[in-house]
């Protein structure tokens, strides 16, 4: 069987690059200088992360403790000040932030609880029509699509109102997931559905897609956008109020004062980040007590952040449809030869292409220039100042293959799905935002042909650093499942900004976005379980060799990722699951890794019960908890499992920790 899904590690783990600013949990902000092999205090060669602090002092962090180190992302692109090792400044900043996090986490949970109290409609289990609708899908669902559909079904059947984010690459089947939910709302709940999209073109595209997919079922679909006459839109508004339309697809016209529903049960928002602030405020009122799904290829940092900390459920679709090939992304200086060759290669295989030029006043001159370069090509033009009929005419001609090259503004960035168009050239790519470029690149590569995206920049000009970083991020994430990774890179390039509102942003800049998220997530998990939030990271020193040897996991980036995941684990079950996965991937655990397994469980216990430090000596264990210091005698040569059991029992006995 072919592999069905492509795993992109979700956002918690980041490969560090030399020169990056990082945050060490115990020592504060430093600079990462790389990985080196050195002898440790026992004379055994080990791997260390080298961090530089103020006054050029260096800190050697064993790779097995790499979970204590995270990349620093501040509020803007400012350079943070390096801390001094051992100074109280870092501890104070951490203490202040921890108090703020506790208050913020309580607020978030109160808001979540309010939504749950308001409640939503509990839809019945799938009826025969809903099952038939799923079976009528002409393709095979990817593994990620199936899990997203299943998660939405569970959300809809519960009495809480759903608010789920579906993050997935352009063209990976988010619309199908949304259509399944829409059909369930109509068929099983006899409710109405509103589908909100940011552009008129996308509304048209969705309307056609929905009509084709629902054609075998008695579902009435309406469209509300500027393409319609006043008479047509008034008729739709009337039918909505009377319940004669089941699904309405529209732009922010749907948020107008005159719009009313007989019985709204589900709101689907496509590319929420494209709506303005006022539209989003109206959306909040619109969504109260109603199930909602947001679809996004590159979630905005705030949405992504809410999902990372578990305040908003997220399903990631990162497995490509069958036969899909990754898009080849190329950054190049704008030259006639490059443009001509790119389009000639596409036309030679009977394909079509886009040329994106985002200035209406010079778009006709650009089209003329292209015509001189490729005289036999049939060229069409589309931009937002044309009237709706002319735009529709051009798109239909492009769809039917009567136009070879479409010269357009960013009008095409959402929802234009033409499988035969597999080359796109974006003029002045350095002037676009990251999600615009990502959306534009997603217009190609929607079939089983290799697709090409050219990011054209002015010849001989040095680009601003931010533009350079954006374009490099796009090139780096050109494989499968790049949308969420790209959103994370966007966050790093722009800084965390006002993601949390003014009150919290100061705390984020003090300790960095990743550590803030980690502590907030831990606090929320603890409060949900009615436990005390633990901000502890127990210092653990031991004379045993407890690590993943190079011979067991040869790739250093992979080792680093697994140490990170172990450090982030929030239960014994999670630690066990990671080690089960390792046995499955790399074979039986060597002795050093067996020691690591039991010491990881022991560290989890110590963290949970607020032990400051555990230091193993030859025959004793030195324990610190707050101001208490205790020495516990150890029997010699205990095997790993017995060592964990013995120490846990002694700590419980001496400190009544459990």
């Amino acid at each position: 069987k072919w592999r069905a899904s492509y795993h992109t590690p979700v956002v918690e783990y980041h490969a560090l690059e030399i020169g990056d600013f990082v945050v060490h949990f115990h020592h504060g902000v430093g600079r990462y200088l790389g990985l080196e092999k050195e002898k440790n205090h026992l004379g055994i060669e080990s791997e260390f992360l080298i961090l530089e602090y103020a006054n050029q002092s260096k800190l050697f962090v064993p790779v097995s403790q790499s979970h204590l180190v995270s990349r620093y992302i501040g509020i803007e692109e400012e350079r943070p000040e390096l801390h001094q090792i051992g100074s109280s400044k870092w501890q104070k900043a951490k203490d202040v932030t921890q108090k703020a996090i506790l208050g913020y986490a309580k607020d978030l949970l109160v808001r979540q609880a309010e939504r749950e109290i308001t409640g939503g409609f509990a839809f019945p289990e799938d009826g025969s029509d809903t099952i038939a609708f799923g079976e009528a899908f002409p393709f095979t669902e990817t593994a990620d699509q199936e899990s997203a559909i299943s998660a939405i079904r569970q959300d809809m059947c519960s009495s809480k109102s759903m608010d789920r984010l579906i993050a997935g690459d352009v063209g990976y089947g988010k619309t199908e997931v949304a259509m399944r939910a829409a059909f369930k709302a109509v068929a099983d709940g006899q409710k109405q559905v509103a589908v909100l999209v940011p552009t008129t073109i996308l509304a048209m595209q969705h309307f056609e897609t929905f009509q084709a997919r629902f054609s075998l079922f008695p579902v009435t679909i309406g469209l509300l956008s500027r393409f319609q006459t006043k008479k047509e839109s008034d008729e739709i508004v009337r039918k909505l109020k009377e319940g004669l339309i089941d699904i309405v697809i529209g732009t922010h016209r749907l948020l107008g004062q005159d719009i009313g529903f007989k019985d709204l049960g589900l709101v689907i928002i496509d590319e929420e980040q494209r709506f303005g602030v006022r539209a989003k405020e109206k959306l909040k009122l619109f969504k109260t007590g109603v199930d909602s799904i947001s679809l996004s290829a590159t979630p905005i940092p705030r949405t992504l952040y809410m999902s990372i900390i578990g305040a908003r459920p997220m399903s990631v679709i990162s497995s490509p449809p069958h036969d899909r090939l990754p898009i080849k992304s190329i950054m190049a200086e704008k030259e006639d030869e490059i443009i001509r060759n790119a389009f000639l290669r596409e036309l030679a295989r009977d394909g079509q292409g886009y040329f994106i030029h985002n200035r209406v006043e010079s778009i006709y001159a650009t089209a003329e220039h292209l015509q001189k370069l490729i005289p036999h090509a049939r060229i069409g033009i589309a931009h937002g100042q044309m009237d709706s009929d002319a735009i529709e005419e051009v798109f239909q001609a492009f769809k039917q293959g009567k136009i070879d090259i479409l010269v357009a503004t960013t009008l095409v960035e959402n929802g234009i799905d033409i499988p035969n168009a597999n080359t796109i050239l974006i003029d002045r790519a350095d002037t676009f935002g990251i999600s615009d470029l990502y959306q534009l690149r997603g217009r190609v590569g929607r079939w089983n042909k290799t697709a090409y995206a050219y990011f054209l920049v002015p010849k001989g000009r040095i680009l601003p650093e931010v533009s350079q970083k954006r374009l490099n991020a796009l090139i780096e994430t050109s494989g499968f499942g790049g949308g969420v990774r790209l959103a994370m890179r966007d966050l790093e390039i722009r800084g965390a900004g006002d993601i949390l509102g003014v009150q919290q942003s100061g705390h984020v800049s003090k300790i960095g976005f990743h550590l803030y998220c980690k502590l907030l997530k831990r606090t929320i998990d603890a409060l949900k379980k009615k436990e005390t939030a633990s901000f502890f990271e127990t210092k653990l020193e031991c004379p045993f060799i407890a690590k993943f040897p190079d011979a067991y996991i040869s790739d250093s980036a992979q080792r680093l990722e697994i140490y990170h995941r172990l450090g982030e684990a929030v239960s014994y079950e999670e630690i066990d699951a990671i080690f089960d996965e390792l046995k499955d991937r790399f074979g039986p655990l060597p002795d050093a890794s067996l020691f690591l397994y039991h010491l990881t469980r022991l560290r989890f216990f110590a963290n949970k019960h607020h032990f400051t430090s555990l230091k193993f000596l030859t025959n004793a264990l030195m324990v610190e908890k707050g101001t208490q210091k205790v020495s516990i005698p150890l029997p010699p040569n205990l095997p790993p499992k017995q060592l964990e059991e013995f120490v846990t029992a002694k700590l419980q006995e001496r400190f009544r920790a459990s």
Side-chain angles (χ1 to χ4, degrees):
K1 181 184 174 184
W2 284 95
R3 180 173 167 185
S5 64
Y6 291 77
H7 174 65
T8 307
V10 178
V11 296
E12 261 104 358
Y13 170 69
H14 283 265
L16 296 171
E17 288 171 23
I18 291 170
D20 281 349
F21 287 102
V22 292
V23 180
H24 187 291
F25 188 84
H26 297 304
H27 303 289
V29 178
R31 190 186 282 107
Y32 176 64
L33 300 181
L35 264 179
E36 278 181 29
K37 285 194 173 174
E38 301 278 344
K39 287 192 172 165
N40 66 11
H41 61 296
L42 302 168
I44 299 156
E45 193 176 78
S46 301
E47 256 182 317
F48 292 90
L49 303 172
I50 317 293
L51 309 184
E52 182 190 13
Y53 280 85
N55 308 325
Q56 295 183 325
S57 52
K58 285 184 182 173
L59 181 70
F60 288 73
V61 182
V63 166
S64 58
Q65 291 178 24
S66 60
H67 63 278
L68 296 173
V69 179
S70 56
R71 187 183 281 183
Y72 174 89
I73 299 176
I75 292 302
E76 287 159 12
E77 295 158 57
E78 70 217 21
R79 294 166 72 82
E81 202 179 305
L82 300 185
H83 282 105
Q84 270 189 341
I85 293 178
S87 80
S88 59
K89 192 178 173 186
W90 169 245
Q91 195 52 50
K92 281 177 190 161
K94 213 164 57 169
D95 290 345
V96 169
T97 304
Q98 284 167 359
K99 280 183 191 144
I101 281 174
L102 202 53
Y104 183 59
K106 283 176 181 164
D107 286 351
L108 277 178
L109 289 174
V110 165
R111 267 183 258 162
Q112 229 172 338
E114 279 170 2
R115 284 205 37 233
E116 285 170 18
I117 292 161
T118 311
F121 177 75
F123 287 88
E125 286 300 323
D126 289 0
S128 55
D129 278 0
T130 306
I131 293 164
F133 182 78
E135 286 168 354
F137 184 49
F139 307 100
T140 307
E141 295 91 346
T142 63
D144 288 346
Q145 266 183 317
E146 281 179 345
S147 66
I149 289 164
S150 161
I152 286 172
R153 187 187 301 119
Q154 282 178 337
D155 287 355
M156 288 178 80
C157 291
S158 85
S159 57
K160 298 173 189 170
S161 67
M162 166 174 74
D163 184 14
R164 181 171 285 275
L165 168 67
I166 308 290
D169 277 17
V170 176
Y172 275 31
K174 299 188 295 292
T175 308
E176 174 61 23
V177 173
M179 288 194 289
R180 298 278 178 101
F183 190 90
K184 181 171 179 62
V186 173
D188 295 339
Q190 278 75 53
K191 296 274 185 184
Q192 289 172 295
V193 178
V195 182
L196 262 157
V197 295
T199 66
T200 310
I201 301 292
L202 188 53
M204 280 296 301
Q205 179 91 21
H206 271 335
F207 181 60
E208 286 170 18
T209 309
F210 270 67
Q211 276 198 317
R213 183 73 175 87
F214 285 74
S215 60
L216 301 172
F217 300 89
V219 175
T220 317
I221 301 169
L223 173 69
L224 257 185
S225 74
R226 71 180 175 92
F227 277 3
Q228 288 152 310
T229 62
K230 185 169 186 323
K231 189 180 173 186
E232 285 171 334
S233 61
D234 286 350
E235 182 66 3
I236 299 238
V237 171
R238 180 185 66 79
K239 286 183 173 176
L240 270 180
K241 288 176 180 167
E242 291 173 14
L244 300 173
I245 286 178
D246 300 312
I247 299 172
V248 64
I249 297 164
T251 53
H252 39 280
R253 168 80 183 85
L254 271 180
L255 300 170
Q257 298 290 330
D258 59 332
I259 304 292
F261 293 85
K262 188 178 181 190
D263 191 3
L264 182 65
L266 174 67
V267 177
I268 297 166
I269 305 151
D270 199 355
E271 298 300 346
E272 191 175 348
Q273 74 269 27
R274 303 233 155 260
F275 290 95
V277 177
R278 283 165 74 183
K280 281 181 186 160
E281 288 307 312
K282 284 188 183 170
L283 268 175
K284 277 182 195 163
L285 300 172
F286 201 49
K287 291 189 329 191
T288 310
V290 173
D291 284 356
S292 79
I293 299 170
S294 295
L295 311 175
S296 181
T298 52
I300 48 168
R302 185 186 175 85
T303 312
L304 187 68
Y305 156 82
M306 292 307 257
S307 301
I308 296 169
I309 60 167
R312 185 178 189 184
M314 171 164 81
S315 297
V316 178
I317 302 181
S318 60
S319 30
H322 188 54
D323 281 350
R324 185 65 57 88
L325 299 167
I327 300 164
K328 293 196 172 169
S329 302
I330 301 139
M331 182 159 60
E333 290 190 330
K334 187 180 177 183
E335 285 182 12
D336 285 353
E337 195 62 19
I338 287 173
I339 296 169
R340 188 169 173 276
N341 289 343
F343 282 128
L344 284 178
R345 181 178 54 210
E346 187 57 61
L347 299 181
R349 59 178 184 179
D350 293 328
Q352 295 162 275
Y354 298 91
F355 189 88
I356 305 301
H357 179 82
N358 209 25
R359 294 185 78 85
V360 175
E361 58 269 30
S362 51
I363 198 165
Y364 291 96
T366 302
E368 270 175 46
H369 183 64
L370 276 179
Q371 192 74 71
K372 283 176 192 162
L373 285 180
I374 314 151
H376 65 281
R378 296 166 298 172
I379 294 176
I381 296 173
H383 60 78
Q385 289 175 21
M386 291 162 66
D387 69 62
S388 54
D389 291 345
I391 292 175
E392 184 61 19
E393 208 174 293
V394 172
F395 280 131
Q396 286 306 330
F398 192 49
K399 228 178 210 177
Q400 290 158 14
K402 293 174 186 171
I403 290 173
D404 298 318
I405 300 170
L406 181 63
V407 182
T409 57
T410 51
L411 181 75
V412 301
E413 78 176 300
N414 290 94
I416 305 305
D417 185 358
I418 294 164
N420 196 40
N422 282 300
T423 293
I424 186 165
L425 283 83
I426 302 164
D427 192 11
R428 289 303 309 267
D430 52 309
T431 60
F432 289 83
I434 232 167
S435 76
D436 294 327
L437 288 171
Y438 185 75
Q439 288 286 358
L440 286 165
R441 179 173 68 183
R443 293 309 104 221
V444 297
R446 303 177 81 93
W447 200 30
N448 57 4
K449 283 183 182 177
T450 304
Y452 299 89
Y454 290 81
F455 302 117
L456 302 177
V457 297
K459 198 172 177 184
R461 194 183 296 176
I462 295 168
L463 298 180
E465 192 185 352
V466 174
S467 302
Q468 189 74 46
K469 279 182 179 173
R470 276 192 198 127
L471 291 165
N472 287 341
L474 277 149
I475 306 289
E476 284 163 24
T477 56
S478 57
F480 291 131
V484 174
R485 273 166 36 221
L486 196 63
M488 210 60 211
R489 288 287 290 120
D490 190 19
L491 172 66
E492 287 170 24
I493 292 165
R494 292 196 301 184
D498 58 352
I499 281 180
L500 310 158
V502 182
Q503 301 91 331
Q504 296 298 316
S505 58
H507 304 303
V508 174
S509 70
K510 278 188 190 129
I511 70 166
F513 179 75
H514 282 301
L515 182 56
Y516 186 94
C517 280
K518 177 178 168 177
L519 296 178
L520 182 56
K521 187 173 192 298
R522 200 183 279 183
T523 309
I524 287 173
D525 290 344
L527 292 176
K528 277 181 179 170
K529 292 176 191 162
K530 306 228 175 343
E531 293 173 359
T532 312
S534 165
F535 293 110
F536 267 76
E537 287 287 356
T538 307
K539 287 184 184 173
L540 187 69
E541 289 180 43
C542 66
F544 329 111
I545 302 173
K547 64 175 186 175
F548 296 118
D550 296 7
Y552 186 59
I553 303 173
S554 56
D555 181 51
S556 61
Q558 230 168 13
R559 282 200 302 279
L560 211 57
E561 180 190 351
I562 291 158
Y563 284 128
H564 235 86
R565 285 173 60 197
L566 285 172
E568 299 289 311
V570 292
S571 66
Y572 290 122
E573 292 75 22
E574 199 177 330
I575 295 168
D576 292 352
I578 292 170
F579 276 93
D580 286 344
E581 179 194 321
L582 293 178
K583 287 178 212 166
D584 186 40
R585 285 168 69 181
F586 304 106
L589 294 174
D591 289 348
S593 303
L594 204 58
F595 254 120
L596 182 68
Y597 167 64
H598 289 287
L599 284 174
T600 303
R601 287 173 59 90
L602 196 53
R603 194 190 64 233
F604 173 70
F605 172 84
N607 268 352
K608 199 174 169 185
H609 295 105
H610 305 179
F611 286 95
T612 317
S613 109
L614 301 183
K615 187 174 182 179
F616 287 91
L617 305 172
T618 319
N619 308 326
L621 170 68
M622 304 300 293
V623 182
E624 280 184 35
K625 186 176 184 184
T627 52
Q628 289 178 281
K629 291 185 182 179
V630 173
S631 173
I632 297 172
L634 283 180
N637 305 323
L638 278 178
K641 188 170 187 233
Q642 280 82 333
L643 179 75
E644 183 202 334
E645 288 168 353
F646 177 82
V647 171
T648 306
K650 285 289 178 192
L651 291 177
Q652 286 178 329
E653 186 186 305
R654 294 294 290 270
F655 290 89
R656 304 187 188 283
S658 66

